[in-house]
Amino acid sequence: MNWEVRIMKSVMSFCKKHGWFNPTLFWKNVTRFWPIWVLYGVIHFFELPMAIFSESRWTAITAGIVREQLMVACYASIWVNAFFGILLAMTLFSYLMSSRSCQAIHALPIRREGLLLTNYVSALGFIAVPSLVVSLLALGMTALQGVFLPLEIFKWLVLQVVVGMFFFSFGTCCAMFTGHILALPAFYGILNALVIGVAFLLDSAMDILLIGYGGSALAGSDLARWCTPIYQLTHLLQWRQQYEDYGDYMIAFGGERVIDVLPAVCYALVLGCAFTLVSYWVYQRRQLERAGDVVTVGWVRPVFQYGLGICLGLTLGIAVYSYFFWQYGPWAYIALVALWSMVGCFVGRALLKKTLRVLRDGWKGLVALGLAMLLLLGGVRLDTFGFQRRLPKLDDITMVDIWQPGSQPDDSGRYLSLATEDRALIAEVLAFHQDLASEAGSFSENGSYYTFEGDYQTGGETRVTIEYYRKDGSTVRRSYDSVPITAQALQDPDSYAARLQALLNRPEVVEELYLRNFQGDWENRWNTRGIACTLYDEYNGEHLELTDDQAEALWEAVKADLKAGNFRRYLLSDRERAENTYYADLEFDVAYTVTRGDGSRQMETTYITITPQNTAVNLMKLLEQEDLTGYLVPRTAPVGQDRESAYPMTEAVD
C-alpha cells in the first residue's frame, strides 16, 4: 500500500471517528443521486469533446480551434454550474425541508459538522469526477488530432470544479436559512441577481423622481457587477488576443493562455469559502423544529418581511405606474410604491406566519413601511440632497461629452455628439448646464412644449445628455429627456436655450456635426470613383445626379463654409430658419482613406447630407454659377406653388 492511500485512509478514519464524515451517507448520496452527476458529465461531454469532434468533421483540428472551443466551454460552464449548484443543494440538503426527515437524520450518530462535510464531499465528487473524465476525453481526442494542450484543458477543469463548488456553496448557504423546498430555488435565484436588480429599480426610481438623473449609475457600477456572480465570473474570464494566420483571413485567439481563468477562480474560491463558513455557522445554530418554514433564522425573518415589501413595492410600483398612471407624474409613482410596499410586507408576514390573518398584530409594521417609503421617495423628489443642482467645478473637469440635442435643418448635422477637452468649449457647456439646472425644477412633468404661430414654430423641446470627466477619474452624468425651448428664450443671450444654440453654432462644433462620420483625417482622401453628389428637390420630389466635377467643386465649397462657420443650426423651425434654408438637400457619397496602425490604408465610404443655406456663401455662389438654384425652393414658399414662381432666381435646369 503506497503512502497516498495510507494517508487517505488515515484521514477518513480520523474524520469518521470524530463524526466529521460518514462513508455510508456518502455512498448513499452517490448511488441515490447518480442521475445528477451522470447528467452533469453528459452535458460537459457534449460541451467540449463532442464540440471538438464536430469541428473535426469539417476541418483539420488546430490549436486555435481547440482554444476557441475551450473558450466557449468556459463561458458555458458558468451557467451550467449555476443550475447544478442549486440542484445539488436541493437534493443533498432536502432532509432539512421536512420535519420528519430532519429529525430522523439528526438522530443518527453523526454530528452536524459531519453531515455538512459529507454532503460537501459528495458534491465535490459529483462535480470533479465527471469533469475529470470529460477533460481526459478532450485531451485524448485532441492528441489524436495532433494537438496537445494539457495546460488549457487543465485550466478548464479547475474552473469547472471551483465554480461548481462555489455555486453549490451558495445554494447550501441559502438552504441553511430556509426550511421550505420551494423557497430554496427562489431565494437562490433572487439572491444571485438581487443587487443588480435592486440597483436597476433604484435607477428607474431616480430617473422618475430626479430631473437630469438618467442612465444606469447604480446598475452599471462595479459593486453591482461584483455582487452578481454570473455577471462577474463572465466578466473576469479574460481572453488574451493573439492573431493566427489562416491565409485569406486572421482570427484572434488567446495565445498560450486563451482564457485567463485565474481571476474568476480566485473570485469563486474566496466567495465559496465565505459561503461555506456562513453555512457552517448557521447550521450549528439552526432550530430543527423550523423545518417547513420559509425562513428558519430568527433575525432574518424581519429582514425577509420588510425586504420583500421594499422590493415588491419598487417592482410593482414602477410596472403599474408605467402602464397605467404615468400621466399623473412622479407623485403618483411615490404613492404606488408605498401602497405596493405595504402589500409586499403583508405577503412576507403571511408567508412567515403561514396564515393570512396577520393584520391584527402586524398592521403597524405595514403602515410604518408605507410611511417610510413616502417620506424617503418624497424627499428625493423634492431634491432634499441637492442632486439636481450639484455640478462639478470648471477647474476639476478634464473633458466633457455632450450629445442628443437636435437642431434644424434636418440633414447630417441634426444631432450633436461632441467630446472635447477644449477649455473654452468646456466652459461654455458648463455655463449652459448651470442655467439649465437652475430652471430644471420648473419644467412641466407631462405638458407639451410645442407651439406654433402660423407656419412657424415658437416652442419645442430637445434632449440633452452631458457627462463630465474629472481629474480624479470619476464621471458626473446628467440626462434631460425634455428640455423646453421657446422663441422668447432664444432672444435672451443669458438663457440656457440661447447658450445651447450659440454652442451649436460655433464653427468647430458645426464642422464636427457634419463630418463626425469620417474616421481619421477627412482631409486625406483616397478614392477610386471621386465624390458623388445628388441634388434632391424635396419640394417636387426630383433627383438630379451631378457630374464628378460638380460634386468635387460643391464638396470643396461645403468644406470652406464649414471652416468659416457659415452653416447655421436652429433649435426651432422658426421664421429665421425658414428664410435661410430650402426644400432641397445635397447628398454626398464620399470615399476616403483610413490609415490603420500597421500603416496599411483602407478605403471607407460615408454619406453626408447638406441642406443649402443662404449664409453658406461659397456654396450658394457655386450653385448659382452652375445654374442649380432653380432646384432650391425656399422654406417660406406656400405649399403647392410651382418651383419657378417659388424661386424665380434662375431658370430650371433640365
Side-chain angles (χ1 to χ4, degrees):
M1 184 181 297
N2 58 32
W3 64 272
E4 294 97 336
V5 175
R6 289 199 300 269
I7 291 177
M8 181 60 68
K9 285 194 171 184
S10 300
V11 171
M12 298 289 286
S13 300
F14 180 82
C15 292
K16 182 179 179 181
K17 178 180 179 181
H18 291 80
W20 292 348
F21 181 80
N22 190 293
T24 303
L25 179 60
F26 170 78
W27 289 111
K28 184 68 175 178
N29 289 337
V30 172
T31 56
R32 183 182 179 188
F33 302 124
W34 67 266
I36 296 178
W37 56 265
V38 169
L39 179 62
Y40 183 82
V42 169
I43 291 176
H44 285 311
F45 174 74
F46 281 95
E47 180 184 285
L48 190 58
M50 283 302 295
I52 298 174
F53 174 75
S54 178
E55 289 290 334
S56 68
R57 297 172 58 190
W58 307 103
T59 183
I61 295 298
T62 63
I65 292 177
V66 174
R67 293 188 181 111
E68 184 180 17
Q69 294 302 323
L70 284 169
M71 177 198 70
V72 175
C74 284
Y75 282 110
S77 68
I78 296 175
W79 294 92
V80 173
N81 284 304
F83 171 75
F84 276 93
I86 184 59
L87 184 61
L88 287 174
M90 290 176 65
T91 53
L92 294 176
F93 292 98
S94 59
Y95 64 88
L96 292 176
M97 310 302 159
S98 168
S99 179
R100 177 179 297 180
S101 299
C102 186
Q103 297 297 334
I105 290 294
H106 289 90
L108 297 175
I110 180 173
R111 301 165 59 181
R112 295 190 184 187
E113 295 90 335
L115 290 171
L116 185 68
L117 180 60
T118 301
N119 287 330
Y120 260 84
V121 173
S122 300
L124 179 61
F126 290 0
I127 294 171
V129 173
S131 298
L132 178 61
V133 173
V134 168
S135 63
L136 291 175
L137 288 174
L139 185 63
M141 185 174 295
T142 55
L144 291 175
Q145 298 288 334
V147 179
F148 191 61
L149 299 173
L151 180 60
E152 284 83 349
I153 296 177
F154 176 73
K155 289 178 182 179
W156 175 85
L157 174 61
V158 172
L159 183 71
Q160 292 298 312
V161 176
V162 175
V163 172
M165 289 304 296
F166 159 72
F167 281 111
F168 171 73
S169 300
F170 194 178
T172 300
C173 188
C174 295
M176 296 300 111
F177 285 91
T178 183
H180 199 287
I181 190 63
L182 296 180
L184 176 53
F187 286 165
Y188 176 81
I190 291 172
L191 290 176
N192 260 289
L194 178 64
V195 175
I196 199 169
V198 171
F200 173 77
L201 292 173
L202 292 177
D203 279 331
S204 301
M206 298 303 102
D207 196 23
I208 295 173
L209 301 176
L210 290 173
I211 298 175
Y213 182 81
S216 55
L218 297 177
S221 64
D222 292 339
L223 178 62
R225 188 186 72 244
W226 273 86
C227 295
T228 308
I230 293 178
Y231 183 14
Q232 177 66 359
L233 286 170
T234 304
H235 176 76
L236 289 176
L237 288 178
Q238 300 297 326
W239 188 13
R240 285 182 55 193
Q241 293 187 355
Q242 174 178 313
Y243 288 95
E244 295 193 6
D245 196 349
Y246 278 78
D248 295 335
Y249 59 93
M250 301 177 74
I251 298 180
F253 291 110
E256 188 175 339
R257 296 190 307 161
V258 180
I259 291 184
D260 186 4
V261 302
L262 183 60
V265 168
C266 291
Y267 171 85
L269 187 61
V270 171
L271 287 188
C273 291
F275 284 130
T276 301
L277 292 176
V278 172
S279 301
Y280 172 77
W281 183 82
V282 175
Y283 195 15
Q284 283 189 320
R285 293 158 179 79
R286 181 187 173 105
Q287 297 177 349
L288 300 181
E289 60 273 15
R290 286 198 178 275
D293 288 357
V294 174
V295 179
T296 60
V297 180
W299 63 269
V300 181
R301 294 169 71 85
V303 174
F304 168 77
Q305 177 183 341
Y306 292 104
L308 179 62
I310 294 172
C311 292
L312 195 64
L314 291 172
T315 303
L316 294 182
I318 195 170
V320 175
Y321 172 79
S322 300
Y323 280 100
F324 303 107
F325 297 99
W326 58 268
Q327 67 271 24
Y328 297 106
W331 290 103
Y333 166 74
I334 294 173
L336 287 169
V337 171
L339 175 62
W340 284 111
S341 295
M342 291 190 292
V343 173
C345 188
F346 170 81
V347 172
R349 189 170 182 83
L351 289 173
L352 292 175
K353 297 294 185 180
K354 301 179 183 178
T355 178
L356 295 177
R357 299 177 181 179
V358 296
L359 289 179
R360 176 175 297 180
D361 59 344
W363 66 270
K364 294 180 180 179
L366 274 65
V367 173
L369 180 60
L371 290 176
M373 297 303 290
L374 283 174
L375 292 175
L376 179 61
L377 297 183
V380 173
R381 175 57 186 165
L382 296 174
D383 197 22
T384 307
F385 306 102
F387 171 86
Q388 296 174 175
R389 303 180 300 275
R390 190 182 305 118
L391 298 177
K393 295 182 179 180
L394 179 60
D395 295 339
D396 194 33
I397 302 173
T398 59
M399 188 177 76
V400 65
D401 194 358
I402 178 172
W403 67 95
Q404 288 185 330
S407 59
Q408 299 288 336
D410 190 8
D411 55 11
S412 293
R414 176 175 176 81
Y415 292 107
L416 174 65
S417 180
L418 176 67
T420 181
E421 298 180 2
D422 183 88
R423 303 307 300 175
L425 278 176
I426 293 176
E428 192 164 343
V429 171
L430 183 60
F432 152 71
H433 195 182
Q434 288 171 339
D435 290 340
L436 175 62
S438 65
E439 298 185 32
S442 62
F443 293 171
S444 174
E445 295 170 355
N446 297 299
S448 175
Y449 299 110
Y450 289 94
T451 59
F452 296 86
E453 185 176 313
D455 295 332
Y456 305 113
Q457 189 178 9
T458 58
E461 62 184 41
T462 189
R463 302 179 64 183
V464 180
T465 298
I466 305 174
E467 187 165 11
Y468 300 98
Y469 296 82
R470 307 171 68 179
K471 292 181 179 178
D472 60 2
S474 63
T475 60
V476 176
R477 178 173 175 171
R478 297 290 185 269
S479 182
Y480 303 88
D481 292 333
S482 181
V483 177
I485 305 293
T486 64
Q488 182 180 1
L490 290 174
Q491 301 302 317
D492 180 7
D494 294 328
S495 67
Y496 67 79
R499 291 185 187 276
L500 179 58
Q501 184 154 285
L503 175 66
L504 290 171
N505 282 288
R506 289 179 66 104
E508 63 270 38
V509 175
V510 175
E511 188 175 357
E512 176 67 20
L513 286 175
Y514 283 100
L515 303 180
R516 62 176 176 266
N517 290 335
F518 282 92
Q519 303 177 36
D521 185 5
W522 63 275
E523 291 279 5
N524 181 21
R525 298 191 310 275
W526 166 63
N527 58 78
T528 58
R529 54 189 177 88
I531 297 177
C533 181
T534 302
L535 177 57
Y536 173 53
D537 179 2
E538 179 185 349
Y539 197 83
N540 295 283
E542 299 179 9
H543 288 79
L544 177 65
E545 297 292 338
L546 303 181
T547 65
D548 291 345
D549 291 340
Q550 287 176 320
E552 289 282 353
L554 288 172
W555 180 243
E556 294 300 323
V558 166
K559 291 197 297 182
D561 283 323
L562 285 174
K563 287 185 176 297
N566 293 335
F567 283 97
R568 300 290 302 168
R569 305 303 308 173
Y570 303 93
L571 289 173
L572 295 178
S573 186
D574 52 13
R575 178 179 289 275
E576 182 182 356
R577 186 265 188 185
E579 292 176 346
N580 190 41
T581 58
Y582 298 88
Y583 287 108
D585 288 317
L586 291 169
E587 300 173 348
F588 290 96
D589 182 356
V590 185
Y592 66 102
T593 59
V594 173
T595 302
R596 299 191 299 185
D598 59 1
S600 62
R601 301 203 306 173
Q602 178 178 350
M603 187 176 72
E604 298 286 349
T605 302
T606 190
Y607 302 91
I608 297 178
T609 302
I610 302 288
T611 299
Q613 301 182 21
N614 289 327
T615 53
V617 293
N618 296 289
L619 177 61
M620 293 303 298
K621 181 178 179 180
L622 183 58
L623 288 172
E624 185 175 355
Q625 292 175 357
E626 297 291 334
D627 290 333
L628 297 175
T629 51
Y631 285 87
L632 306 183
V633 177
R635 286 276 173 178
T636 54
V639 177
Q641 185 175 351
D642 61 88
R643 181 173 58 212
E644 287 75 9
S645 58
Y647 191 70
M649 184 174 179
T650 60
E651 294 294 327
V653 179
D654 293 332

